[in-house]
Amino acid sequence: MTHRIVSVIPMKNMVLLVGFQNGVEKTYDMRTLYPVFPQFKVFEKDIELFNRVQVDMGGYGISWNDDLDLDAEEIWEEGIEVSKKEADVVALLAESLIKARDIVGMTQKQLSESTGIYQADISKIERGLANPSLFTLKRLAEGLGLKLRIEFEK
C-alpha cells in the first residue's frame, strides 16, 4: 500500500512531524539516517536547509533540494506515530481508490481506459484534489470490477 504525505513540519533536533493522507501523524528523526546516508549530516551545519523541507508532488516523499529527498514509505515504516485524527472523507476516498487499484492490479491509465474517465481526473481524486460525483464513483467501481458501497456511521 502506498502511504501519501500531506504535510511536513521541521522541528527541533532534526525531527520532522509528518502528516499522512489517512490522518496519521508521525515523527521522524533524521539523525537515524546519518550512519547510512551521511549526506543528511549537512542539516547539522545548515539548519535553514533542514527547515526548507517540502512535500513532493503526489505526496510520495519529501525533499529539500535535488540531492536530498526521502521516500514516504521510509517515514511510514520507521517513523513514530504520535497521533491519529479521523481523515476527512475526501482523503478516505482517495486512499480507498488507491487501495482498490492496487488490489486489482490496475494502473491509473488502465482504469482510465476502462471507464472513459481522464487519467488526470483519476489522479486528482487519488491526491484528494477532486470531489467526484456518485456517478463517477460508480463508473470507477465498475471499471475496477468492484461494487461501490457508501454508508453512514455513528
Side-chain angles (χ1 to χ4, degrees), residues 59-108:
Y60 296 106
I62 58 173
S63 61
W64 291 266
N65 57 33
D66 290 341
D67 299 320
L68 297 171
D69 58 25
L70 195 56
D71 183 72
E73 293 306 310
E74 164 67 19
I75 299 168
W76 180 263
E77 294 296 324
E78 301 301 326
I80 298 170
E81 186 171 327
V82 292
S83 73
K84 180 170 176 130
K85 54 188 174 190
E86 191 167 316
D88 66 57
V89 70
V90 175
L92 291 172
L93 172 64
E95 188 175 346
S96 180
L97 180 56
I98 293 166
K99 192 181 300 183
R101 273 195 318 97
D102 285 346
I103 288 169
V104 300
M106 287 182 93
T107 64
Q108 286 181 354

Side-chain angles (χ1 to χ4, degrees), residues 88-130:
D88 66 57
V89 70
V90 175
L92 291 172
L93 172 64
E95 188 175 346
S96 180
L97 180 56
I98 293 166
K99 192 181 300 183
R101 273 195 318 97
D102 285 346
I103 288 169
V104 300
M106 287 182 93
T107 64
Q108 286 181 354
K109 183 177 181 183
Q110 290 168 327
L111 183 56
S112 173
E113 291 168 353
S114 72
T115 61
I117 298 170
Y118 291 116
Q119 182 179 349
D121 291 336
I122 294 170
S123 174
K124 286 178 188 174
I125 294 168
E126 289 187 1
R127 289 182 288 139
L129 302 176

